[in-house]
Amino acid sequence: LSATPFDPYNPDRNEFIRREVGPVVYEFGLEPAIKRGILTEFDYAPIRYSLSDADKARQKEQFKKFAGMKQQNPTIPQTRLYVMLSRVRKESEEKLPKFRQHLEQHPDALDKAIIFVASKDYGQKVQEIIYDFVDDYHTYYGEDDESTLEEFSTGELSTLVTSKAISEGIDIQSVKNIILFSSPRSRGTTTQRIGRALRKDPANPGKKANIID
């Protein structure tokens, strides 16, 4: 039983699973789960931004760096370049003022919210913005105590800033806002992050989630 049995960017892994385990027997996606009332409905709000000149210069540097790596080791896969380029987008500071503008119009986006960022350093920049809107927030990275999750689940904290640490394996029914500063290439992992907010909440039967990308 898996939410992400296959990875579109790892054909060797996929072939291994098909060979050793077998094909997918049955699929049950988000849309039918929402229609069946198992998961809650959600709104999707994309926030558009453009790369700065500095970001574009960083991307050029990554192309040059990858070309040098390729000369040293011709077997390096092209996906390595994609990862290097995506890092520039994930950490672009052009997102930050756009996010602030969104919060000025929708401050409730930080209510029972999980914010996914690419790194702890970038998370610090996000914190400097949300501090102007809420004070009951906390970070949750690898070194943070798990009691933070307990405080979040009981409502003592309104917002968590995290990386990939809680993409999977938590079931906090009150979560209703997911903010994606960083999304992995894997569609399955992104779906799991969105799914943190799609749990039905008996304490809030009219709950509707919000996904800010």
Side-chain angles (χ1 to χ4, degrees), residues 2 10 36 67 69 81 97 110 120 123 129 144 158 171 173 177:
S2 174
N10 193 339
R36 287 267 295 272
M69 293 165 60
L81 173 61
L110 295 177
K120 186 175 180 179
I129 293 175
D144 287 305
S158 67
D171 184 15
Q173 297 170 334
N177 290 293

Side-chain angles (χ1 to χ4, degrees), residues 86-93 95-96 99 103 110 113-130 137-144 159-167 177-185 189-190 193-194 196 212-213:
S86 70
R87 193 78 183 184
V88 176
R89 286 195 168 274
K90 289 177 180 179
E91 297 186 344
S92 173
E93 295 191 14
K95 298 178 182 181
L96 299 173
F99 179 55
L103 290 183
L110 295 177
I114 300 176
I115 303 177
F116 287 98
V117 294
S119 65
K120 186 175 180 179
D121 288 343
Y122 195 88
Q124 180 63 44
K125 297 173 184 177
V126 173
Q127 288 173 240
E128 291 172 5
I129 293 175
I130 65 176
Y137 71 88
H138 207 284
T139 58
Y140 185 73
Y141 301 111
E143 70 273 17
D144 287 305
T159 307
L160 279 185
V161 180
T162 186
S163 53
K164 62 182 179 181
I166 54 174
S167 292
N177 290 293
I178 297 292
I179 300 168
L180 301 171
F181 273 93
S182 172
S183 296
R185 295 185 73 213
T189 304
T190 300
R193 291 185 176 189
I194 290 173
R196 300 310 104 201
I212 300 168
D213 185 357

